[in-house]
Amino acid sequence: MDGEMDRYSRQVLFPEIGSEGQKRLGESFVVVIGCGALGTVIATTLVRAGVGRIRIVDRDFIEYHNLQRQVIFDENDVRSQLPKAVAAERHLKAVNSSIEIEGVVTDVNYTNVERLVEGADLILDGLDSFETRCLVNDASLKLGIPWIYGGAISSYGMTMNVIPGETPCFRCIHPKLPSSGMLPTCDTAGVIAPAPFIIASLQSTEAIKLLVGAEDVSRDLISVDVWQAELTRFKITARPGCPTCQGKFEFLEARSGTRTTSLCGQNSVQILNPEGSAVSLDELASRLRPLGEVSQYEFMLRFLVDDREMVVFPDGRAIIKTNDESLARSLYAKYIGI
Ligand SMILES: [Zn+2]
């Protein structure tokens, strides 16, 4: 047996995959959106399983409090101030150099989601934002690409496959957007690592099933509580009047989409560059140096002024340490001023 098939030999022995299933995995293109606790487990599982092409999209950089549950990252990544998508690409290329792995550092929003998932066989959800999930749901149904929802918090989580034209969609089960601050977050409720791990494992299993063409993919909403060791399956039905199922893609078409977002778990506000154009970190650094403390890295610039911390990325996106969105907007206008 040559090296490449030997790599997958134990998985090929599993009859539901076999050599035909392995070949299909190798020909598949998967996009993982969000590379936190869920996304790292999904990405490492699918890279090791031999999915031929994997794109990992994430907007954040790695912090110490991520290491408790975000399995592919380490302390060096925190010290190097690496974006999660870049660190994921580097680590996973060392795991499997025979497939194509691409990390993309960006915020997923209505301007770019279709481009990011175009041509994919499957989208995996590693997000922490309800609104962005609705956007992914829109893109999935519009482009006819299945996606696998997953979410975890505290000791529990949920997952569900959304297969356009076959299953109910995310908005069938969530007709209304929760008002901001109403949902618990990892920040307010905490999270133990096994909860996202088990949800991501279920998502990865369903991903492999969908990619190899298994007939018994789940059509249920699956809920797991690891502390109670409970798994529950819920039958779900399409909701009459669901806008997305009727081809109304409200989140994709929200041309005035959110430019300012509070970030889950970070006591931070993200601001997108309203012009959508790139910035030169070198120029910005020399402009800001007389005003405060500037640390420049390969993929970002950190700026400290009056006890306020700002991180700026080359696409003009900034993350500002505060809970106050209007303060964040004014700091952005004052110092970054795009
Ligand atoms: Zn629907």
Side-chain angles (χ1 to χ4, degrees), residues 137 141 162 167-173 237-246:
N137 189 60
L141 269 72
V162 176
T167 68
C169 82
F170 188 66
R171 291 206 69 202
C172 287
I173 59 167
T237 49
R239 179 171 58 89
C242 168
T244 321
C245 284
Q246 291 172 357

Side-chain angles (χ1 to χ4, degrees), residues 101-178:
I101 305 168
E102 176 197 12
V104 180
V105 185
T106 193
D107 177 74
V108 177
N109 55 57
Y110 70 88
T111 66
N112 62 9
V113 65
E114 289 180 69
R115 185 163 40 80
L116 287 167
V117 302
E118 197 173 20
D121 297 294
L122 183 61
I123 306 163
L124 272 298
D125 167 21
L127 289 159
D128 58 6
S129 154
F130 188 90
E131 192 176 334
T132 314
R133 286 198 182 104
C134 292
L135 185 70
V136 168
N137 189 60
D138 273 10
S140 154
L141 269 72
K142 183 177 175 187
L143 301 175
I145 304 168
W147 74 285
I148 303 180
Y149 155 64
I153 198 162
S154 182
S155 66
Y156 57 90
M158 282 184 207
T159 178
M160 163 185 151
N161 295 336
V162 176
I163 308 171
E166 288 186 32
T167 68
C169 82
F170 188 66
R171 291 206 69 202
C172 287
I173 59 167
H174 292 290
K176 287 205 177 76
L177 261 183

Side-chain angles (χ1 to χ4, degrees), residues 194-217:
F197 289 179
I198 201 162
I199 294 299
S201 294
L202 290 169
Q203 288 177 279
S204 306
T205 308
E206 290 300 317
I208 291 170
K209 286 163 73 177
L210 277 160
L211 295 174
V212 303
E215 285 172 6
D216 53 351
V217 294

